[in-house]
Amino acid sequence: FVAGCDSLLHIIDLTQGKEAASVPIESPTGVTPAVLGDKVFFGTEAGEVYCLSAAGEVRWSTTLDGCFGRAFPLIADVDRDGAYEVYFPTAFNNPQPGLFALDARTGKRRWKSPSVLQSYRSTVMADLDGNGRNEILFGDKNSRLFCVDAKGRQRWTRQLSGRGIFFAPAVA
């Protein structure tokens, strides 16, 4: 899958290097897709979030309060229930920025955890304290790092110096 800035999401058959499909998108800055098996997930600047098949067919779509065209979704089973979630950070100026958790099969919104400013590609999952439960870390353009549990409840937040957290933090 390749996102272009030509208002199309190009789906490439990697075995042959040929375009299998192209899907029109309403996002002036293009999109950053994430792939799970034969599904691709992406959001647009208009607040739309999509799940497409490898053939470019819409599996589900939903509209959320945010802009997601520049956001890189995280696909993970953070709550370890055997079903994947898709985590979308808001990626542009937004009156209510934060991280959205959606059911990857249906697109149903599970929760939203607020942030101070927008995020981009800063979401990572890890069991930070070794208790067998995963947490999610994400940063925002305000240089604030957030830690939430699998239900989106804030565990802690830390203000860092600098000019914004744009990429996923390394977890060791």
Side-chain angles (χ1 to χ4, degrees):
F1 299 96
V2 178
C5 287
D6 58 357
S7 297
L8 292 172
L9 177 71
H10 302 278
I11 301 173
I12 307 300
D13 177 343
L14 297 179
T15 61
Q16 300 177 25
K18 295 181 180 179
E19 186 167 307
S22 62
V23 179
I25 54 173
E26 295 292 326
S27 194
T29 60
V31 299
T32 306
V35 177
L36 174 65
D38 66 344
K39 296 180 218 54
V40 61
F41 301 88
F42 66 92
T44 71
E45 294 296 321
E48 300 148 332
V49 173
Y50 290 92
C51 173
L52 302 181
S53 72
E57 300 160 338
V58 176
R59 297 261 177 111
W60 57 257
S61 68
T62 188
T63 301
L64 302 170
D65 179 29
C67 299
F68 306 100
R70 299 178 200 170
F72 183 67
L74 170 69
I75 305 169
D77 182 10
V78 173
D79 58 12
R80 298 185 181 188
D81 66 354
Y84 286 96
E85 300 86 39
V86 183
Y87 298 90
F88 275 95
T90 55
F92 197 68
N93 292 334
N94 186 8
Q96 298 176 350
L99 180 69
F100 287 86
L102 306 175
D103 183 301
R105 289 176 300 150
T106 65
K108 181 180 177 187
R109 180 177 160 173
R110 290 191 170 187
W111 50 260
K112 178 185 177 191
S113 183
S115 61
V116 178
L117 291 176
Q118 69 268 29
S119 298
Y120 295 99
R121 295 164 176 82
S122 66
T123 311
V124 67
M125 169 197 81
D127 179 357
L128 299 176
D129 53 12
N131 66 358
R133 292 188 299 271
N134 291 317
E135 288 81 30
I136 301 169
L137 293 172
F138 69 103
D140 71 5
K141 195 173 175 182
N142 190 49
S143 297
R144 183 164 289 275
L145 182 63
F146 300 88
C147 177
V148 298
D149 67 15
K151 294 187 179 188
R153 295 179 297 228
Q154 191 171 92
R155 295 210 38 224
W156 53 262
T157 182
R158 177 77 53 223
Q159 182 68 49
L160 303 172
S161 60
R163 296 186 175 174
I165 300 170
F166 297 95
F167 301 99
V171 178

mmCIF file of all heavy atoms in Angstrom, residues 9-57:
data_model
loop_
_atom_site.group_PDB
_atom_site.id
_atom_site.type_symbol
_atom_site.label_atom_id
_atom_site.label_comp_id
_atom_site.label_asym_id
_atom_site.label_seq_id
_atom_site.Cartn_x
_atom_site.Cartn_y
_atom_site.Cartn_z
ATOM 1 N N LEU A 9 -5.121 6.585 -2.719
ATOM 2 C CA LEU A 9 -4.370 5.569 -2.002
ATOM 3 C C LEU A 9 -4.092 4.474 -3.022
ATOM 4 O O LEU A 9 -5.017 3.884 -3.562
ATOM 5 C CB LEU A 9 -5.159 5.005 -0.825
ATOM 6 C CG LEU A 9 -4.478 3.885 -0.060
ATOM 7 C CD1 LEU A 9 -3.308 4.425 0.747
ATOM 8 C CD2 LEU A 9 -5.464 3.199 0.859
ATOM 9 N N HIS A 10 -2.837 4.244 -3.324
ATOM 10 C CA HIS A 10 -2.449 3.262 -4.333
ATOM 11 C C HIS A 10 -2.168 1.927 -3.645
ATOM 12 O O HIS A 10 -1.364 1.870 -2.719
ATOM 13 C CB HIS A 10 -1.202 3.730 -5.087
ATOM 14 C CG HIS A 10 -1.385 5.042 -5.753
ATOM 15 N ND1 HIS A 10 -2.006 5.167 -6.977
ATOM 16 C CD2 HIS A 10 -1.053 6.290 -5.362
ATOM 17 C CE1 HIS A 10 -2.029 6.448 -7.312
ATOM 18 N NE2 HIS A 10 -1.461 7.143 -6.351
ATOM 19 N N ILE A 11 -2.814 0.884 -4.104
ATOM 20 C CA ILE A 11 -2.613 -0.455 -3.565
ATOM 21 C C ILE A 11 -1.784 -1.230 -4.576
ATOM 22 O O ILE A 11 -2.193 -1.424 -5.714
ATOM 23 C CB ILE A 11 -3.951 -1.148 -3.265
ATOM 24 C CG1 ILE A 11 -4.746 -0.302 -2.263
ATOM 25 C CG2 ILE A 11 -3.722 -2.563 -2.764
ATOM 26 C CD1 ILE A 11 -6.143 -0.782 -2.002
ATOM 27 N N ILE A 12 -0.593 -1.646 -4.139
ATOM 28 C CA ILE A 12 0.367 -2.292 -5.024
ATOM 29 C C ILE A 12 0.432 -3.787 -4.710
ATOM 30 O O ILE A 12 0.592 -4.178 -3.556
ATOM 31 C CB ILE A 12 1.774 -1.670 -4.860
ATOM 32 C CG1 ILE A 12 1.724 -0.148 -5.022
ATOM 33 C CG2 ILE A 12 2.765 -2.309 -5.813
ATOM 34 C CD1 ILE A 12 1.229 0.338 -6.352
ATOM 35 N N ASP A 13 0.328 -4.614 -5.732
ATOM 36 C CA ASP A 13 0.555 -6.048 -5.606
ATOM 37 C C ASP A 13 2.062 -6.231 -5.536
ATOM 38 O O ASP A 13 2.769 -6.064 -6.537
ATOM 39 C CB ASP A 13 -0.031 -6.779 -6.816
ATOM 40 C CG ASP A 13 0.226 -8.264 -6.791
ATOM 41 O OD1 ASP A 13 1.120 -8.717 -6.032
ATOM 42 O OD2 ASP A 13 -0.459 -8.989 -7.530
ATOM 43 N N LEU A 14 2.574 -6.573 -4.366
ATOM 44 C CA LEU A 14 4.018 -6.626 -4.170
ATOM 45 C C LEU A 14 4.674 -7.818 -4.853
ATOM 46 O O LEU A 14 5.884 -7.822 -5.044
ATOM 47 C CB LEU A 14 4.336 -6.629 -2.673
ATOM 48 C CG LEU A 14 3.893 -5.369 -1.928
ATOM 49 C CD1 LEU A 14 4.225 -5.483 -0.451
ATOM 50 C CD2 LEU A 14 4.529 -4.131 -2.520
ATOM 51 N N THR A 15 3.900 -8.809 -5.251
ATOM 52 C CA THR A 15 4.501 -9.940 -5.956
ATOM 53 C C THR A 15 4.846 -9.582 -7.388
ATOM 54 O O THR A 15 5.766 -10.150 -7.968
ATOM 55 C CB THR A 15 3.563 -11.166 -5.949
ATOM 56 O OG1 THR A 15 2.344 -10.834 -6.616
ATOM 57 C CG2 THR A 15 3.276 -11.617 -4.529
ATOM 58 N N GLN A 16 4.088 -8.630 -7.970
ATOM 59 C CA GLN A 16 4.319 -8.244 -9.359
ATOM 60 C C GLN A 16 4.735 -6.782 -9.520
ATOM 61 O O GLN A 16 5.136 -6.367 -10.604
ATOM 62 C CB GLN A 16 3.059 -8.497 -10.184
ATOM 63 C CG GLN A 16 2.634 -9.947 -10.187
ATOM 64 C CD GLN A 16 1.342 -10.130 -10.961
ATOM 65 O OE1 GLN A 16 1.018 -9.339 -11.839
ATOM 66 N NE2 GLN A 16 0.618 -11.169 -10.648
ATOM 67 N N GLY A 17 4.591 -6.010 -8.456
ATOM 68 C CA GLY A 17 4.937 -4.597 -8.540
ATOM 69 C C GLY A 17 3.943 -3.780 -9.326
ATOM 70 O O GLY A 17 4.248 -2.666 -9.742
ATOM 71 N N LYS A 18 2.740 -4.317 -9.536
ATOM 72 C CA LYS A 18 1.715 -3.608 -10.304
ATOM 73 C C LYS A 18 0.650 -3.043 -9.370
ATOM 74 O O LYS A 18 0.395 -3.582 -8.298
ATOM 75 C CB LYS A 18 1.043 -4.562 -11.296
ATOM 76 C CG LYS A 18 1.991 -5.077 -12.357
ATOM 77 C CD LYS A 18 1.261 -5.991 -13.317
ATOM 78 C CE LYS A 18 2.218 -6.514 -14.375
ATOM 79 N NZ LYS A 18 1.562 -7.422 -15.302
ATOM 80 N N GLU A 19 0.030 -1.972 -9.822
ATOM 81 C CA GLU A 19 -1.061 -1.389 -9.047
ATOM 82 C C GLU A 19 -2.277 -2.303 -9.134
ATOM 83 O O GLU A 19 -2.769 -2.596 -10.221
ATOM 84 C CB GLU A 19 -1.396 0.008 -9.551
ATOM 85 C CG GLU A 19 -2.419 0.704 -8.674
ATOM 86 C CD GLU A 19 -2.539 2.192 -8.965
ATOM 87 O OE1 GLU A 19 -1.505 2.895 -8.964
ATOM 88 O OE2 GLU A 19 -3.666 2.620 -9.190
ATOM 89 N N ALA A 20 -2.755 -2.761 -7.969
ATOM 90 C CA ALA A 20 -3.929 -3.625 -7.910
ATOM 91 C C ALA A 20 -5.210 -2.796 -7.852
ATOM 92 O O ALA A 20 -6.242 -3.205 -8.369
ATOM 93 C CB ALA A 20 -3.853 -4.551 -6.702
ATOM 94 N N ALA A 21 -5.133 -1.624 -7.235
ATOM 95 C CA ALA A 21 -6.308 -0.749 -7.116
ATOM 96 C C ALA A 21 -5.826 0.623 -6.677
ATOM 97 O O ALA A 21 -4.720 0.781 -6.161
ATOM 98 C CB ALA A 21 -7.291 -1.312 -6.097
ATOM 99 N N SER A 22 -6.661 1.624 -6.902
ATOM 100 C CA SER A 22 -6.434 2.942 -6.327
ATOM 101 C C SER A 22 -7.767 3.420 -5.782
ATOM 102 O O SER A 22 -8.810 3.215 -6.394
ATOM 103 C CB SER A 22 -5.870 3.919 -7.354
ATOM 104 O OG SER A 22 -6.774 4.109 -8.414
ATOM 105 N N VAL A 23 -7.702 4.020 -4.616
ATOM 106 C CA VAL A 23 -8.903 4.433 -3.898
ATOM 107 C C VAL A 23 -8.838 5.934 -3.694
ATOM 108 O O VAL A 23 -7.847 6.445 -3.156
ATOM 109 C CB VAL A 23 -8.985 3.712 -2.535
ATOM 110 C CG1 VAL A 23 -10.218 4.139 -1.769
ATOM 111 C CG2 VAL A 23 -8.957 2.203 -2.724
ATOM 112 N N PRO A 24 -9.882 6.678 -4.127
ATOM 113 C CA PRO A 24 -9.881 8.125 -3.896
ATOM 114 C C PRO A 24 -9.990 8.436 -2.407
ATOM 115 O O PRO A 24 -10.738 7.784 -1.680
ATOM 116 C CB PRO A 24 -11.125 8.624 -4.631
ATOM 117 C CG PRO A 24 -11.733 7.458 -5.307
ATOM 118 C CD PRO A 24 -11.051 6.226 -4.852
ATOM 119 N N ILE A 25 -9.217 9.396 -1.952
ATOM 120 C CA ILE A 25 -9.264 9.829 -0.557
ATOM 121 C C ILE A 25 -9.416 11.341 -0.513
ATOM 122 O O ILE A 25 -8.934 12.043 -1.384
ATOM 123 C CB ILE A 25 -8.012 9.396 0.224
ATOM 124 C CG1 ILE A 25 -6.737 9.860 -0.484
ATOM 125 C CG2 ILE A 25 -7.989 7.900 0.459
ATOM 126 C CD1 ILE A 25 -5.471 9.627 0.291
ATOM 127 N N GLU A 26 -10.104 11.816 0.493
ATOM 128 C CA GLU A 26 -10.302 13.251 0.677
ATOM 129 C C GLU A 26 -9.318 13.733 1.735
ATOM 130 O O GLU A 26 -9.672 13.919 2.884
ATOM 131 C CB GLU A 26 -11.742 13.530 1.122
ATOM 132 C CG GLU A 26 -12.784 13.174 0.094
ATOM 133 C CD GLU A 26 -12.718 14.070 -1.128
ATOM 134 O OE1 GLU A 26 -12.388 15.259 -0.993
ATOM 135 O OE2 GLU A 26 -12.995 13.570 -2.235
ATOM 136 N N SER A 27 -8.063 13.872 1.379
ATOM 137 C CA SER A 27 -7.058 14.328 2.317
ATOM 138 C C SER A 27 -5.976 15.067 1.546
ATOM 139 O O SER A 27 -5.207 14.446 0.824
ATOM 140 C CB SER A 27 -6.477 13.136 3.084
ATOM 141 O OG SER A 27 -5.748 13.589 4.191
ATOM 142 N N PRO A 28 -5.909 16.390 1.685
ATOM 143 C CA PRO A 28 -4.971 17.162 0.885
ATOM 144 C C PRO A 28 -3.501 16.844 1.176
ATOM 145 O O PRO A 28 -2.647 17.086 0.344
ATOM 146 C CB PRO A 28 -5.301 18.609 1.251
ATOM 147 C CG PRO A 28 -5.972 18.534 2.570
ATOM 148 C CD PRO A 28 -6.689 17.220 2.594
ATOM 149 N N THR A 29 -3.190 16.287 2.347
ATOM 150 C CA THR A 29 -1.803 15.994 2.679
ATOM 151 C C THR A 29 -1.464 14.530 2.481
ATOM 152 O O THR A 29 -0.387 14.094 2.853
ATOM 153 C CB THR A 29 -1.512 16.358 4.148
ATOM 154 O OG1 THR A 29 -2.379 15.585 4.993
ATOM 155 C CG2 THR A 29 -1.730 17.824 4.403
ATOM 156 N N GLY A 30 -2.362 13.748 1.896
ATOM 157 C CA GLY A 30 -2.121 12.315 1.775
ATOM 158 C C GLY A 30 -2.426 11.625 3.083
ATOM 159 O O GLY A 30 -2.927 12.227 4.024
ATOM 160 N N VAL A 31 -2.144 10.342 3.144
ATOM 161 C CA VAL A 31 -2.418 9.573 4.345
ATOM 162 C C VAL A 31 -1.221 8.686 4.659
ATOM 163 O O VAL A 31 -0.365 8.456 3.821
ATOM 164 C CB VAL A 31 -3.692 8.697 4.190
ATOM 165 C CG1 VAL A 31 -4.913 9.555 3.947
ATOM 166 C CG2 VAL A 31 -3.523 7.673 3.069
ATOM 167 N N THR A 32 -1.180 8.198 5.879
ATOM 168 C CA THR A 32 -0.153 7.264 6.314
ATOM 169 C C THR A 32 -0.860 5.981 6.720
ATOM 170 O O THR A 32 -1.411 5.898 7.806
ATOM 171 C CB THR A 32 0.645 7.846 7.496
ATOM 172 O OG1 THR A 32 1.148 9.123 7.126
ATOM 173 C CG2 THR A 32 1.787 6.924 7.872
ATOM 174 N N PRO A 33 -0.881 4.973 5.855
ATOM 175 C CA PRO A 33 -1.608 3.748 6.166
ATOM 176 C C PRO A 33 -0.794 2.783 7.028
ATOM 177 O O PRO A 33 0.431 2.818 7.037
ATOM 178 C CB PRO A 33 -1.871 3.144 4.789
ATOM 179 C CG PRO A 33 -0.755 3.645 3.943
ATOM 180 C CD PRO A 33 -0.390 4.992 4.490
ATOM 181 N N ALA A 34 -1.511 1.932 7.753
ATOM 182 C CA ALA A 34 -0.922 0.816 8.486
ATOM 183 C C ALA A 34 -1.624 -0.449 8.012
ATOM 184 O O ALA A 34 -2.812 -0.419 7.657
ATOM 185 C CB ALA A 34 -1.097 1.000 9.985
ATOM 186 N N VAL A 35 -0.908 -1.563 7.982
ATOM 187 C CA VAL A 35 -1.432 -2.800 7.416
ATOM 188 C C VAL A 35 -1.454 -3.898 8.470
ATOM 189 O O VAL A 35 -0.503 -4.070 9.230
ATOM 190 C CB VAL A 35 -0.580 -3.244 6.208
ATOM 191 C CG1 VAL A 35 -1.058 -4.566 5.654
ATOM 192 C CG2 VAL A 35 -0.594 -2.170 5.135
ATOM 193 N N LEU A 36 -2.549 -4.663 8.481
ATOM 194 C CA LEU A 36 -2.682 -5.859 9.297
ATOM 195 C C LEU A 36 -3.242 -6.958 8.403
ATOM 196 O O LEU A 36 -4.400 -6.891 7.989
ATOM 197 C CB LEU A 36 -3.617 -5.631 10.483
ATOM 198 C CG LEU A 36 -3.936 -6.858 11.335
ATOM 199 C CD1 LEU A 36 -2.681 -7.377 12.039
ATOM 200 C CD2 LEU A 36 -5.015 -6.531 12.354
ATOM 201 N N GLY A 37 -2.407 -7.926 8.053
ATOM 202 C CA GLY A 37 -2.843 -8.994 7.158
ATOM 203 C C GLY A 37 -3.255 -8.428 5.818
ATOM 204 O O GLY A 37 -2.475 -7.780 5.139
ATOM 205 N N ASP A 38 -4.526 -8.645 5.435
ATOM 206 C CA ASP A 38 -5.029 -8.148 4.153
ATOM 207 C C ASP A 38 -5.880 -6.891 4.327
ATOM 208 O O ASP A 38 -6.680 -6.556 3.473
ATOM 209 C CB ASP A 38 -5.834 -9.234 3.446
ATOM 210 C CG ASP A 38 -7.110 -9.598 4.193
ATOM 211 O OD1 ASP A 38 -7.237 -9.252 5.387
ATOM 212 O OD2 ASP A 38 -7.993 -10.219 3.581
ATOM 213 N N LYS A 39 -5.695 -6.169 5.432
ATOM 214 C CA LYS A 39 -6.452 -4.948 5.688
ATOM 215 C C LYS A 39 -5.502 -3.770 5.821
ATOM 216 O O LYS A 39 -4.405 -3.892 6.344
ATOM 217 C CB LYS A 39 -7.265 -5.086 6.966
ATOM 218 C CG LYS A 39 -8.324 -6.148 6.919
ATOM 219 C CD LYS A 39 -9.048 -6.182 8.240
ATOM 220 C CE LYS A 39 -9.414 -7.537 8.724
ATOM 221 N NZ LYS A 39 -8.414 -8.531 8.836
ATOM 222 N N VAL A 40 -5.960 -2.620 5.344
ATOM 223 C CA VAL A 40 -5.192 -1.381 5.492
ATOM 224 C C VAL A 40 -6.070 -0.366 6.230
ATOM 225 O O VAL A 40 -7.271 -0.265 5.975
ATOM 226 C CB VAL A 40 -4.720 -0.825 4.124
ATOM 227 C CG1 VAL A 40 -5.880 -0.499 3.216
ATOM 228 C CG2 VAL A 40 -3.839 0.391 4.298
ATOM 229 N N PHE A 41 -5.453 0.352 7.160
ATOM 230 C CA PHE A 41 -6.148 1.338 7.985
ATOM 231 C C PHE A 41 -5.501 2.691 7.751
ATOM 232 O O PHE A 41 -4.279 2.804 7.715
ATOM 233 C CB PHE A 41 -6.016 0.984 9.469
ATOM 234 C CG PHE A 41 -6.559 -0.367 9.814
ATOM 235 C CD1 PHE A 41 -5.758 -1.495 9.730
ATOM 236 C CD2 PHE A 41 -7.871 -0.518 10.233
ATOM 237 C CE1 PHE A 41 -6.249 -2.750 10.055
ATOM 238 C CE2 PHE A 41 -8.368 -1.769 10.558
ATOM 239 C CZ PHE A 41 -7.555 -2.883 10.473
ATOM 240 N N PHE A 42 -6.327 3.727 7.621
ATOM 241 C CA PHE A 42 -5.803 5.085 7.483
ATOM 242 C C PHE A 42 -6.882 6.084 7.846
ATOM 243 O O PHE A 42 -8.068 5.761 7.889
ATOM 244 C CB PHE A 42 -5.280 5.359 6.067
ATOM 245 C CG PHE A 42 -6.343 5.362 4.999
ATOM 246 C CD1 PHE A 42 -6.971 6.537 4.629
ATOM 247 C CD2 PHE A 42 -6.707 4.189 4.370
ATOM 248 C CE1 PHE A 42 -7.952 6.543 3.637
ATOM 249 C CE2 PHE A 42 -7.677 4.175 3.390
ATOM 250 C CZ PHE A 42 -8.304 5.358 3.023
ATOM 251 N N GLY A 43 -6.447 7.308 8.136
ATOM 252 C CA GLY A 43 -7.374 8.386 8.435
ATOM 253 C C GLY A 43 -7.128 9.553 7.503
ATOM 254 O O GLY A 43 -6.083 9.632 6.847
ATOM 255 N N THR A 44 -8.088 10.462 7.429
ATOM 256 C CA THR A 44 -7.977 11.629 6.561
ATOM 257 C C THR A 44 -8.006 12.909 7.381
ATOM 258 O O THR A 44 -8.343 12.901 8.565
ATOM 259 C CB THR A 44 -9.126 11.678 5.530
ATOM 260 O OG1 THR A 44 -10.345 11.997 6.217
ATOM 261 C CG2 THR A 44 -9.271 10.364 4.784
ATOM 262 N N GLU A 45 -7.680 14.010 6.737
ATOM 263 C CA GLU A 45 -7.742 15.315 7.394
ATOM 264 C C GLU A 45 -9.178 15.712 7.737
ATOM 265 O O GLU A 45 -9.394 16.574 8.573
ATOM 266 C CB GLU A 45 -7.108 16.393 6.518
ATOM 267 C CG GLU A 45 -5.622 16.228 6.308
ATOM 268 C CD GLU A 45 -4.797 16.359 7.578
ATOM 269 O OE1 GLU A 45 -5.103 17.204 8.430
ATOM 270 O OE2 GLU A 45 -3.841 15.585 7.714
ATOM 271 N N ALA A 46 -10.157 15.078 7.113
ATOM 272 C CA ALA A 46 -11.568 15.391 7.370
ATOM 273 C C ALA A 46 -12.129 14.591 8.553
ATOM 274 O O ALA A 46 -13.320 14.654 8.826
ATOM 275 C CB ALA A 46 -12.400 15.118 6.125
ATOM 276 N N GLY A 47 -11.282 13.816 9.253
ATOM 277 C CA GLY A 47 -11.751 13.068 10.416
ATOM 278 C C GLY A 47 -12.285 11.692 10.095
ATOM 279 O O GLY A 47 -12.820 11.017 10.967
ATOM 280 N N GLU A 48 -12.142 11.268 8.843
ATOM 281 C CA GLU A 48 -12.631 9.935 8.467
ATOM 282 C C GLU A 48 -11.537 8.909 8.724
ATOM 283 O O GLU A 48 -10.359 9.168 8.496
ATOM 284 C CB GLU A 48 -13.013 9.914 6.990
ATOM 285 C CG GLU A 48 -14.100 10.901 6.660
ATOM 286 C CD GLU A 48 -13.961 11.464 5.255
ATOM 287 O OE1 GLU A 48 -12.828 11.527 4.735
ATOM 288 O OE2 GLU A 48 -14.984 11.849 4.704
ATOM 289 N N VAL A 49 -11.940 7.741 9.192
ATOM 290 C CA VAL A 49 -11.032 6.627 9.413
ATOM 291 C C VAL A 49 -11.573 5.450 8.627
ATOM 292 O O VAL A 49 -12.780 5.170 8.656
ATOM 293 C CB VAL A 49 -10.917 6.299 10.913
ATOM 294 C CG1 VAL A 49 -10.105 5.044 11.143
ATOM 295 C CG2 VAL A 49 -10.312 7.473 11.671
ATOM 296 N N TYR A 50 -10.680 4.756 7.895
ATOM 297 C CA TYR A 50 -11.094 3.671 7.010
ATOM 298 C C TYR A 50 -10.342 2.384 7.291
ATOM 299 O O TYR A 50 -9.162 2.408 7.662
ATOM 300 C CB TYR A 50 -10.822 4.039 5.546
ATOM 301 C CG TYR A 50 -11.700 5.115 5.002
ATOM 302 C CD1 TYR A 50 -11.302 6.445 5.055
ATOM 303 C CD2 TYR A 50 -12.921 4.802 4.428
ATOM 304 C CE1 TYR A 50 -12.112 7.443 4.544
ATOM 305 C CE2 TYR A 50 -13.736 5.797 3.916
ATOM 306 C CZ TYR A 50 -13.323 7.117 3.982
ATOM 307 O OH TYR A 50 -14.125 8.103 3.477
ATOM 308 N N CYS A 51 -11.023 1.278 7.015
ATOM 309 C CA CYS A 51 -10.404 -0.035 6.916
ATOM 310 C C CYS A 51 -10.771 -0.566 5.536
ATOM 311 O O CYS A 51 -11.955 -0.685 5.202
ATOM 312 C CB CYS A 51 -10.925 -0.981 7.995
ATOM 313 S SG CYS A 51 -10.360 -2.679 7.814
ATOM 314 N N LEU A 52 -9.744 -0.853 4.713
ATOM 315 C CA LEU A 52 -9.963 -1.365 3.360
ATOM 316 C C LEU A 52 -9.400 -2.777 3.247
ATOM 317 O O LEU A 52 -8.445 -3.134 3.940
ATOM 318 C CB LEU A 52 -9.242 -0.500 2.329
ATOM 319 C CG LEU A 52 -9.577 0.982 2.238
ATOM 320 C CD1 LEU A 52 -8.749 1.622 1.133
ATOM 321 C CD2 LEU A 52 -11.049 1.206 2.007
ATOM 322 N N SER A 53 -9.968 -3.535 2.316
ATOM 323 C CA SER A 53 -9.384 -4.829 1.953
ATOM 324 C C SER A 53 -8.212 -4.578 1.012
ATOM 325 O O SER A 53 -8.027 -3.465 0.511
ATOM 326 C CB SER A 53 -10.426 -5.702 1.257
ATOM 327 O OG SER A 53 -10.685 -5.205 -0.046
ATOM 328 N N ALA A 54 -7.430 -5.625 0.744
ATOM 329 C CA ALA A 54 -6.303 -5.503 -0.184
ATOM 330 C C ALA A 54 -6.766 -5.154 -1.592
ATOM 331 O O ALA A 54 -5.991 -4.630 -2.385
ATOM 332 C CB ALA A 54 -5.503 -6.794 -0.193
ATOM 333 N N ALA A 55 -8.035 -5.419 -1.904
ATOM 334 C CA ALA A 55 -8.588 -5.083 -3.218
ATOM 335 C C ALA A 55 -9.133 -3.649 -3.256
ATOM 336 O O ALA A 55 -9.647 -3.208 -4.279
ATOM 337 C CB ALA A 55 -9.688 -6.067 -3.592
ATOM 338 N N GLY A 56 -9.036 -2.924 -2.141
ATOM 339 C CA GLY A 56 -9.507 -1.544 -2.095
ATOM 340 C C GLY A 56 -10.958 -1.388 -1.707
ATOM 341 O O GLY A 56 -11.501 -0.290 -1.768
ATOM 342 N N GLU A 57 -11.613 -2.461 -1.268
ATOM 343 C CA GLU A 57 -13.020 -2.386 -0.848
ATOM 344 C C GLU A 57 -13.107 -1.910 0.594
ATOM 345 O O GLU A 57 -12.336 -2.348 1.453
ATOM 346 C CB GLU A 57 -13.669 -3.762 -0.975
ATOM 347 C CG GLU A 57 -13.648 -4.292 -2.396
ATOM 348 C CD GLU A 57 -13.835 -5.805 -2.445
ATOM 349 O OE1 GLU A 57 -13.574 -6.498 -1.440
ATOM 350 O OE2 GLU A 57 -14.224 -6.279 -3.512
#
